[in-house]
């Protein structure tokens, strides 16, 4: 046993302790996350962000005492601290260049997190709904863009990859602790997680769907079936989201370019996945709120944009429009009253 500071004690593990290695390996699994409500975090930045946001640490593995000194002492006192050989962490790590610090945390509850003040002060009435995003790198990048754009919240449907999967965490670069993420939602519960009166739009980059038309289209990130597909086509949906009435139950949505006005009031944007695209339920939700299909035009012959790229384009355009509206409203308030 050793001391890393006043009242900060740690245990020393035996080199090559297989028991600890098994614990870390199990902690990486979705089954462990779901059954035990715990997540594995790695690296100084991610763990520090988690601690500052109020995530509860349970066990921290570190290779040198210096790693602990970079973290808020009051927070890590609540955890079991275990000093291990760097070679062991290198074996357990998924990183190319391990930093010598791993932590097992209770899975964060968005309702109990303390997000950074700068993030909250720059939050916008802009929400993101991820539908069928199954690539971990894409989802992590999308979450990072959502945090950067100032999204108020991110909703993930059941077709998405687990946001606490290690690859998503790495790609998110701390976004998990900057914007509320509500995962594993079925479409029936999505509206209950949206503010009243919000408009829902779906993002799309079908190269054969001109803006100003009304059509049924696939979501951003999904490739069209052919370069000359008709404008009116059924959205390519994941099998688990298909309804008995099929495409006949999917409403038509008016289309417009993504850079035209659509974020003048609180709005949510749905981004479809890489393979299956948007669910029919996404179109129905958008239609029920008076939303539209936001077309990202691409050069003819290019099938589609990556889902993460499409999300970044649409979210930052939404941010631009909302900030412009806010600026215009502030300007009107300062105008002198005639007479």
């Amino acid at each position: 046993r050793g001391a890393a500071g006043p009242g900060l004690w740690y245990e020393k593990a035996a080199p090559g302790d297989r028991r600890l290695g098994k614990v870390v390996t199990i902690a990486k699994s979705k089954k462990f996350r779901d059954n035990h409500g715990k997540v594995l975090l790695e690296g100084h930045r991610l763990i520090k962000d988690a601690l500052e946001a109020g995530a509860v640490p349970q066990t921290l593995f570190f290779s040198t005492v210096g790693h602990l000194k970079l973290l808020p002492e009051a927070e890590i006192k609540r955890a079991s601290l275990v000093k291990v050989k760097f070679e062991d962490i290198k074996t357990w790590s998924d990183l190319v260049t391990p930093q010598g610090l791993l932590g097992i945390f209770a899975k964060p509850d968005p309702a109990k997190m303390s997000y950074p003040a700068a993030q909250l002060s720059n939050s916008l009435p802009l929400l993101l709904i991820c539908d069928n995003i199954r690539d971990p790198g894409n989802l992590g990048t999308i979450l990072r863009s959502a945090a950067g754009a100032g999204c108020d919240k991110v909703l993930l449907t059941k077709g998405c990859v687990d946001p606490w999967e290690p690859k998503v965490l790495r790609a998110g670069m701390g976004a998990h602790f900057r914007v509320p993420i509500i995962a594993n939602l079925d479409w029936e519960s999505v509206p209950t997680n949206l503010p009243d009166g919000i408009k829902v739009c779906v993002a799309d980059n079908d190269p054969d769907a001109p803006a100003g038309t009304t059509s049924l289209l696939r979501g951003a990130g999904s490739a069209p079936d052919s370069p000359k597909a008709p404008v009116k086509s059924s959205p390519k949906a994941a099998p688990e989201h298909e309804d008995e009435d099929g495409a006949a139950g999917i409403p038509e949505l008016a289309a417009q370019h993504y850079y035209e006005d659509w974020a003048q009031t609180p709005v949510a944007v749905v981004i479809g996945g890489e393979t299956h695209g948007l669910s029919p339920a996404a179109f129905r939700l958008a239609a029920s709120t008076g939303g539209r299909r936001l077309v990202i035009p691409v050069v003819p012959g290019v099938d589609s944009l990556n889902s993460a790229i499409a999300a970044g384009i649409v979210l930052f355009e939404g941010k631009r429009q909302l900030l412009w509206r806010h600026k215009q409203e502030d300007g009107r308030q300062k105008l002198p009253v005639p007479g």
Side-chain angles (χ1 to χ4, degrees):
R1 193 177 187 190
L8 197 62
W9 297 91
Y10 63 85
E11 302 292 333
K12 291 182 180 179
D17 190 323
R18 292 186 178 182
R19 180 182 59 87
L20 293 181
K22 187 175 182 180
V23 168
V24 174
T25 300
I26 294 174
K28 295 179 184 179
S29 70
K30 186 177 188 302
K31 184 177 180 180
F32 180 84
R33 294 191 294 272
D34 292 342
N35 293 345
H36 300 281
K38 299 178 183 179
V39 297
L40 180 70
L41 306 179
E42 182 173 3
H44 294 103
R45 178 175 178 177
L46 192 59
I47 289 177
K48 185 178 180 181
D49 285 347
L51 292 170
E52 291 178 347
V56 180
Q58 297 186 341
T59 305
L60 291 178
F61 301 100
F62 61 97
S63 58
T64 65
V65 174
H67 292 307
L68 297 182
K69 295 181 179 179
L70 299 174
L71 302 174
E73 185 175 316
E75 302 300 328
I76 63 176
K77 278 184 177 180
R78 297 184 291 174
S80 297
L81 306 177
V82 183
K83 188 174 185 294
V84 297
K85 292 289 186 180
F86 180 76
E87 287 71 20
D88 289 332
I89 288 186
K90 190 174 181 180
T91 301
W92 304 338
S93 176
D94 287 327
L95 300 181
V96 177
T97 54
Q99 298 176 17
L101 183 65
L102 287 164
I104 296 177
F105 284 69
K107 184 181 289 187
D109 180 352
K112 298 178 181 178
M113 299 294 286
S114 302
Y115 297 99
Q119 190 79 36
L120 295 175
S121 64
N122 287 281
S123 179
L124 297 167
L126 176 64
L127 284 79
L128 175 65
I129 303 173
C130 294
D131 182 20
N132 292 315
I133 304 295
R134 300 183 180 184
D135 181 89
N138 278 349
L139 181 58
T141 303
I142 287 171
L143 295 176
R144 190 176 177 185
S145 293
C151 283
D152 180 65
K153 187 189 299 183
V154 178
L155 307 181
L156 307 181
T157 65
K158 285 186 176 180
C160 294
V161 65
D162 182 3
W164 299 103
E165 203 267 351
K167 291 181 180 179
V168 182
L169 285 163
R170 288 201 301 274
M173 295 290 288
H176 292 70
F177 303 106
R178 287 182 167 79
V179 61
I181 301 168
I182 302 177
N184 203 35
L185 294 173
D186 53 44
W187 278 101
E188 289 72 23
S189 61
V190 168
T192 62
N193 287 277
L194 297 174
D196 293 337
I198 195 170
K199 180 172 66 174
V200 178
C201 295
V202 297
D204 180 52
N205 57 283
D206 191 315
D208 297 297
T213 62
T214 301
S215 61
L216 302 176
L217 290 175
R218 56 191 60 78
S222 62
D225 296 327
S226 69
K228 294 186 178 180
V231 171
K232 287 196 174 184
S233 60
S234 299
K236 190 177 178 182
E240 61 266 35
H241 293 298
E242 289 177 354
D243 295 341
E244 292 180 0
D245 56 0
I250 305 171
E252 296 186 343
L253 292 179
Q256 67 176 70
H257 284 125
Y258 78 96
Y259 47 77
E260 296 170 341
D261 290 344
W262 53 271
Q264 302 304 305
T265 58
V267 64
V269 177
V270 187
I271 296 291
E274 309 80 11
T275 303
H276 296 291
L278 292 164
S279 303
F283 288 84
R284 286 194 284 271
L285 179 59
S288 70
T289 64
R292 294 195 165 211
R293 192 168 49 79
L294 306 176
V295 177
I296 304 174
V298 295
V299 173
V302 176
D303 281 354
S304 64
L305 295 177
N306 171 275
S307 294
I309 297 296
I313 291 172
V314 174
L315 290 178
F316 278 89
E317 173 59 22
K319 175 181 181 179
R320 186 194 68 80
Q321 292 185 21
L322 287 167
L323 291 177
W324 176 253
R325 184 200 68 181
H326 180 71
K327 182 179 179 181
Q328 294 296 95
E329 289 177 350
D330 281 354
R332 283 196 293 270
Q333 291 171 4
K334 296 174 183 177
L335 291 174
V337 179

